Amino acid sequence: MTVADYLDIAAQKREARDKAFIGEWLIPDDALPQKDVKDVLTWAINSGYLAKREVAITESTLDELSEKIKNREWTAYEVAMAFCHRASIAHQLVNCLSEVFFKEGLQQARELDEYYEKTNQLKGPFHGLPISLKDNFNVKGQATTIGFVGFSFNPEKFESESLLVSKLRELGAVFCFKTNVPVAMMMPESTNHIYGNTVNPFNRATTSGGSSGGECALGALLGRCYLGLGSDIGGSLRIPASLQNLFTLRPSSGRFTTYGARSGLPGLESVASVNGPISTTMENLEFYCKNIVNHGEQWLVDSKCLEIPWREVILPEKLTVALLKDDGIVKPYPAIARALDQVEHSLKLQGHEVIGWNPLHHDRLTKLIGAFFLSDGGKHCKEYLNLTGEPVFDYMKPYESASDLPVSELWDLQTERTRLCNEYLAQWNKTCERTSSGKPIDAIITPVSPYSGVGIDKFRYIGYTAVFNALDWAAGTIPVTRVDKRIDKKDEMYEPRNMMDARTYDEYDADEVDGCAASVQIVCKRLQEEKVVKMMKTVSRIVGTHDYWSSSK
Amino acid sequence: MTVADYLDIAAQKREARDKAFIGEWLIPDDALPQKDVKDVLTWAINSGYLAKREVAITESTLDELSEKIKNREWTAYEVAMAFCHRASIAHQLVNCLSEVFFKEGLQQARELDEYYEKTNQLKGPFHGLPISLKDNFNVKGQATTIGFVGFSFNPEKFESESLLVSKLRELGAVFCFKTNVPVAMMMPESTNHIYGNTVNPFNRATTSGGSSGGECALGALLGRCYLGLGSDIGGSLRIPASLQNLFTLRPSSGRFTTYGARSGLPGLESVASVNGPISTTMENLEFYCKNIVNHGEQWLVDSKCLEIPWREVILPEKLTVALLKDDGIVKPYPAIARALDQVEHSLKLQGHEVIGWNPLHHDRLTKLIGAFFLSDGGKHCKEYLNLTGEPVFDYMKPYESASDLPVSELWDLQTERTRLCNEYLAQWNKTCERTSSGKPIDAIITPVSPYSGVGIDKFRYIGYTAVFNALDWAAGTIPVTRVDKRIDKKDEMYEPRNMMDARTYDEYDADEVDGCAASVQIVCKRLQEEKVVKMMKTVSRIVGTHDYWSSSK
């Protein structure tokens, strides 16, 4: 294919999507905030384009929506309308939607209303609740590009959908659109040749992150009703969630089905891609986890899913947390350091115990996971890129130059990874020697990335998240604060420890990232999803950010 | 190394082992049954070499042993003595032991007795119970050859042991020896250049099978006290268990820790090697599962282990079973067909429901698993063989000629495997359309292999077991009957469907395998270990073989 071809195909695809918006909702360019308006977080609500009732709906949690639909105060249809309308505005602000199917979603909502009217029964725990989907989930009748121009119309419409989508649909959830991702979902910034870059509503000069960037940019604009599903193989849920101060859970593999989703690296098993929820509230996040795990019966269809119900966890009154402030490889930016200090201070102030955490094997585990991503020599990615001959983003260059590893070497890397995982687990157990309870810690708290916001093309280091993918541990993010350029000043005397550290710190510019989000990561062991969710709730309460999205941001 | 060297090393290793036997127990060659005595199952008990009390001890189940140790009727020491003595005789009959450390085991038992004397406490649920180990488990102070001459003294003594061994030791189990395996544990017959071939006590002209062949040949001679641990990556527990009419459980990966065991294919993850118990009684097997899963806390140390307790399962009063009599690829031998008929008849007679089972993708799944085994081009195996230059057994020839697969191809095979697994699962679910309860079946019952006993060098087809490794489903074996050459006659009119089928059926010789064991396989879904164990108990009761090893064999 010629260069023109890939541009043509992309333009055609964009055009098809744009037609799916509802004309009367589209805001003229000159009425939108100008490009130099960076923070657009509250624009949708304050602009007057949303009706009061639409704001009320979208500012309700899933529990509240559910209650009001049940009580017939709101219909599923008007909930979906408000949801779509607000998403439409969000898209105009940050370019976050990929596939748009408002019409189908609204029709689905109408059918749910009719069903309820007729039977007096709700379809399930998700009856009438709109859920946002990252582009990799296949939806019946829609395409899935995962950022490849060659997948724009290939297939044009999926005939069957991802198991998680069909299960949620059975349980009453409503789907109206999907959100933008980077090519192959293997870049930390959500851009591609079809839809372009999704920017960050905290500061539109910065990236929304990736690969669940479209999801998180949208989420930050959608209010307390927001629940989105993203995926994570090296940080793809946690990185964008942290850059938008959202709550997310990266579960261990086996808790939430990934069956029938489209992958940029199909067949890779040395590290598992997982999916998880993203939300503006912990209530929504927990609502989702509990209901899909307990009612989805995912293991009946997905042979990789574990039949483990959503378990009750009781935390000790006095928490013990291990804090990692710096992995010794890349120093976090000032606002991240400040966020971690704030968490430490709040925990101690309320009588909890904080000990240090050694970033055991973080460097090597991050390298191993990188080797796994590239172990097919980029063959699958290149094949998809070659469908149209679209050019390769800089972030994806390693996939161009990688070599197709012999399996014998892969086995050796896997053996090493398993050994390091067990050593990491042993380090967790050994904390009992350092805690006053004599028991191991309840969680680790770490940066999500070095970045408290980051400009376009500058996200370079995923070590803080990728290590927990290598371990397959349960990890989440919670919001803490925002960058304040007056206090989050660069330490001009900092002496970097390596090239990556030097480049990263050098690129910090407080003016550039002013107002950006600063989150932290909370980590529990493998398959401790219930515990990490409970810790996220508890720590965000302690830090005072539990209601982050209902107060001013 | 020269040829002489590998023979020297093997001889040295054998000599070292032989010294570890207890001289007064050794039976002179001329007092042993002659080579042409094929069935030696009851020889040990009837020979007079075992004291009455030794017979009583070794004919007790673990529960009974536990009770008597607790009541101070028997000491752990005398239990271990009886166990070792009987194992010593068994070894002289079928050549089943690899590493022998009677002395250390007896010392361990003595310490347990002292501990009990002093504290009036048992060390744990396994206090004083001797457990047999397949050679791949590392034991402190012992070697692990897994059939490679090059591992004879490399290392000479392991300094740390497999997690399962150390956990069981903590819980009071006693270890006195390990059992023979094939090279790399990747042959269906337990032979190697160090210890030679382990033959089958049902009929010593036939193979004990592999790779847990040493274990199962021993088990059939050790009485009702026998509990051994083996491993299974393509049938290595079930094949030898079936050839010796023993009970075994091949669990799904994650239920029983494999951490710190030696592997012939280290780093292979496309299909997981698992370990599981083998026994002469279902009571022992269940005793082991329940206690190690509920008290072992394996997941605290092995990051691949799942924190799932041993769950109670209640079976419906009327069982529904899908029966596979022939996978359409290789026809089972007459006694296997008869065993399946007997199971079907008994089930129906007692009011249970039996439907058919389609061997969906069995051929392809078996081929895929073979491709995974060889995907490193045999590099790891060849490296270990090259340590001494020992020759390669015919069974291992594919490892010589295999090519080191590019990872890109491995990904495609893994994608295909996952798809087939989900289709298989869907077929299970769909049985609800064919059962009178409207629910899916409770289990599948299939042959374990085509063979009701098989001569040396003739075991060719592992499709009946390997498919469930590819699926990672829970599967077990139960004894049904023995070959009777008068009734298990070859069908001379049989028209084979392919080369493998032709060769296998052609090699059937009722005279050769007279008296050999005939078992069947019971299969439940992934991670349904509790259910398959319950099914094994129930079906063996229905078939009348629940007490197989306490009645005449």
Side-chain angles (χ1 to χ4, degrees), chain B residues 146-183:
Chain B
I146 54 170
F148 288 108
V149 180
F151 286 171
S152 293
F153 302 97
N154 170 21
E156 191 170 348
K157 297 172 191 295
F158 271 86
E159 280 176 23
S160 62
E161 54 195 14
S162 301
L163 178 60
L164 194 57
V165 176
S166 62
K167 280 284 174 196
L168 284 165
R169 197 188 284 280
E170 270 172 47
L171 298 173
V174 172
F175 304 105
C176 304
F177 49 76
K178 300 201 293 177
T179 58
N180 202 30
V181 297
V183 180

Side-chain angles (χ1 to χ4, degrees), chain B residues 294-551:
Chain B
N294 288 345
H295 300 288
E297 294 187 315
Q298 309 165 79
W299 42 83
L300 291 185
V301 184
D302 178 355
S303 57
K304 291 195 172 177
C305 253
L306 301 169
E307 188 174 346
I308 302 178
W310 193 257
R311 299 158 294 192
E312 274 309 309
V313 167
I314 296 165
L315 295 178
E317 257 186 59
K318 179 182 170 182
L319 301 176
T320 313
V321 160
L323 193 64
L324 178 74
K325 292 191 173 183
D326 183 330
D327 68 1
I329 305 162
V330 179
K331 180 186 173 74
Y333 284 178
I336 301 296
R338 182 163 59 80
L340 290 162
D341 286 344
Q342 190 174 324
V343 171
E344 181 178 20
H345 179 75
S346 305
L347 282 167
K348 287 182 171 168
L349 201 68
Q350 298 194 24
H352 304 290
E353 188 171 350
V354 180
I355 64 174
W357 185 253
N358 170 31
L360 183 70
H361 304 313
H362 278 217
D363 196 17
R364 185 60 192 156
L365 283 167
T366 302
K367 287 204 173 93
L368 280 171
I369 208 174
F372 292 144
F373 292 162
L374 297 171
S375 60
D376 78 329
K379 205 188 143 213
H380 289 82
C381 274
K382 281 184 276 192
E383 186 189 313
Y384 307 149
L385 292 168
N386 287 343
L387 289 170
T388 62
E390 62 177 308
V392 176
F393 282 87
D394 278 351
Y395 280 127
M396 292 292 285
K397 293 284 183 199
Y399 290 84
E400 264 196 321
S401 56
S403 61
D404 205 345
L405 218 63
V407 169
S408 63
E409 287 179 34
L410 183 73
W411 286 14
D412 294 344
L413 296 178
Q414 289 178 161
T415 297
E416 182 185 1
R417 182 253 289 124
T418 301
R419 181 174 58 76
L420 301 187
C421 287
N422 286 324
E423 289 178 16
Y424 206 91
L425 180 55
Q427 174 166 295
W428 173 291
N429 294 334
K430 263 203 160 175
T431 55
C432 66
E433 296 169 5
R434 296 191 286 137
T435 63
S436 59
S437 67
K439 290 183 188 161
I441 49 171
D442 295 304
I444 312 168
I445 296 184
T446 85
V448 183
S449 78
Y451 310 103
S452 55
V454 57
I456 306 299
D457 287 335
K458 290 186 194 164
F459 197 111
R460 309 195 189 288
Y461 183 68
I462 62 163
Y464 284 100
T465 49
V467 64
F468 300 107
N469 295 83
L471 292 164
D472 195 23
W473 283 21
T477 67
I478 60 166
V480 178
T481 187
R482 293 180 72 171
V483 177
D484 180 339
K485 66 180 177 184
R486 294 161 309 178
I487 52 176
D488 296 315
K489 288 184 178 152
K490 197 171 193 163
D491 173 4
E492 300 292 350
M493 306 296 285
Y494 178 62
E495 287 187 28
R497 299 154 292 190
N498 55 64
M499 293 288 289
M500 173 72 87
D501 195 25
R503 188 161 181 196
T504 305
Y505 205 77
D506 184 54
E507 286 174 341
Y508 177 67
D509 176 348
D511 286 320
E512 184 186 44
V513 297
D514 192 35
C516 280
S519 293
V520 299
Q521 179 173 225
I522 301 185
V523 181
C524 290
K525 292 187 296 180
R526 181 169 173 237
L527 295 171
Q528 292 196 324
E529 283 68 38
E530 296 86 342
K531 185 158 188 194
V532 89
V533 163
K534 205 74 171 245
M535 284 298 295
M536 288 162 68
K537 278 173 76 168
T538 308
V539 176
S540 61
R541 267 210 190 91
I542 291 168
V543 177
T545 54
H546 180 262
D547 290 324
Y548 185 83
W549 288 93
S550 62
S551 51

Side-chain angles (χ1 to χ4, degrees), chain A residues 387-406:
Chain A
L387 289 169
T388 63
E390 62 175 311
V392 176
F393 283 87
D394 278 351
Y395 281 125
M396 292 291 286
K397 292 285 183 200
Y399 290 85
E400 264 196 322
S401 57
S403 62
D404 204 345
L405 219 64

Side-chain angles (χ1 to χ4, degrees), chain A residues 68-87:
Chain A
K68 296 218 169 154
I69 291 172
K70 193 174 161 194
N71 297 340
R72 302 179 205 270
E73 282 184 63
W74 293 336
T75 63
Y77 183 77
E78 67 184 325
V79 167
M81 280 288 277
F83 181 75
C84 290
H85 189 186
R86 192 160 171 177

Side-chain angles (χ1 to χ4, degrees), chain B residues 181-195:
Chain B
V181 297
V183 180
M185 300 178 297
M186 293 310 292
M187 293 157 47
E189 194 167 308
S190 293
T191 188
N192 58 65
H193 293 117
I194 308 168
Y195 299 121

Side-chain angles (χ1 to χ4, degrees), chain B residues 279-299:
Chain B
S279 187
T280 38
T281 79
M282 279 306 297
E283 286 70 22
N284 286 354
L285 195 142
E286 202 172 22
F287 178 95
Y288 167 80
C289 292
K290 198 182 284 189
N291 281 303
I292 189 65
V293 170
N294 288 345
H295 300 288
E297 294 187 315
Q298 309 165 79
W299 42 83

